[in-house]
Amino acid sequence: AAGVIQSPRHLIKEKRETATLKCYPIPRHDTVYWYQQGPGQDPQFLISFYEKMQSDKGSIPDRFSAQQFSDYHSELNMSSLELGDSALYFCASSLFRVSEAFFGQGTRLTVV
Amino acid sequence: DQQVKQNSPSLSVQEGRISILNCDYTNSMFDYFLWYKKYPAEGPTFLISISSIKDKNEDGRFTVFLNKSAKHLSLHIVPSQPGDSAVYFCAASAHHCTGTASKLTFGTGTRLQVTL
């Protein structure tokens, strides 16, 4: 069965650079969530989208923005990267009204 | 403010025995609870869930129990197998008045080690 696809799997950026993470949800899933997991921490919710509209906002820095496109894929744009942004970034997708969210393999971002 | 708490950061269980992972929550608006299993550098994998209208849900070796009055849930794995060794996250969500599910709020995780 198709799963959530995230790209790239690994990304190395320098401080103050920008990065774009992509997420392709499971087919027919209309809701996308973004989470950030730092070393030894639980996943922290960043932002979510339903039907291309932002549905929930968590601890997403102002330097980050995200959107969901007409084909339901989502992109997380990160600017002015800081060392503290180094983390695993997970995308998850689900169906409207269904709480079970399925996660991608994540993107490991390293800021040097 | 940690709304979902897993007070045991680690648990070691012998193969064949029962593993019990616990989770407490504070937000009474949560109406759906999930358990995820996570290996290092991989995304969380959905295991089992339970709605707040139930007190038990079973799927093979995995059973989740919900005690709403105590705001407590637990995951039982029996019999435990070495392949179960991973970090287990409890998560909770609430439904908006529109019916859409809210974001998942995760606990801090419990590392389960199943020994031979």
Side-chain angles (χ1 to χ4, degrees), chain A residues 9 31 33 35 37 40-45 48 50 55-58 88 90 94-106 108, chain B residues 2 31-32 34 36 38 40-46 48-50 89 93-96 98-109:
Chain A
R9 291 293 311 276
T31 303
Y33 306 85
Y35 286 82
Q37 186 178 26
Q41 297 179 0
D42 50 302
Q44 294 293 313
F45 172 72
S48 63
Y50 164 65
S55 53
D56 255 321
K57 191 172 181 180
L88 270 170
F90 292 108
S94 70
L95 274 170
F96 173 65
R97 295 187 180 179
V98 177
S99 292
E100 284 90 351
F102 296 88
F103 285 77
Q105 296 280 44
R108 178 174 292 283
Chain B
Q2 191 73 30
D31 58 8
Y32 208 86
L34 308 91
Y36 284 84
K38 188 179 182 302
E42 291 187 11
T45 301
F46 169 71
I48 191 169
S49 61
I50 187 167
F89 286 97
S93 77
H95 280 77
H96 298 294
T98 56
T100 55
S102 73
K103 64 184 186 297
L104 293 175
T105 300
F106 282 87
T108 47

Side-chain angles (χ1 to χ4, degrees), chain A residues 20-34:
Chain A
T20 297
L21 310 185
K22 296 185 179 182
C23 169
Y24 297 87
I26 291 172
R28 292 189 299 281
H29 280 193
D30 47 25
T31 303
V32 167
Y33 306 85
W34 285 98

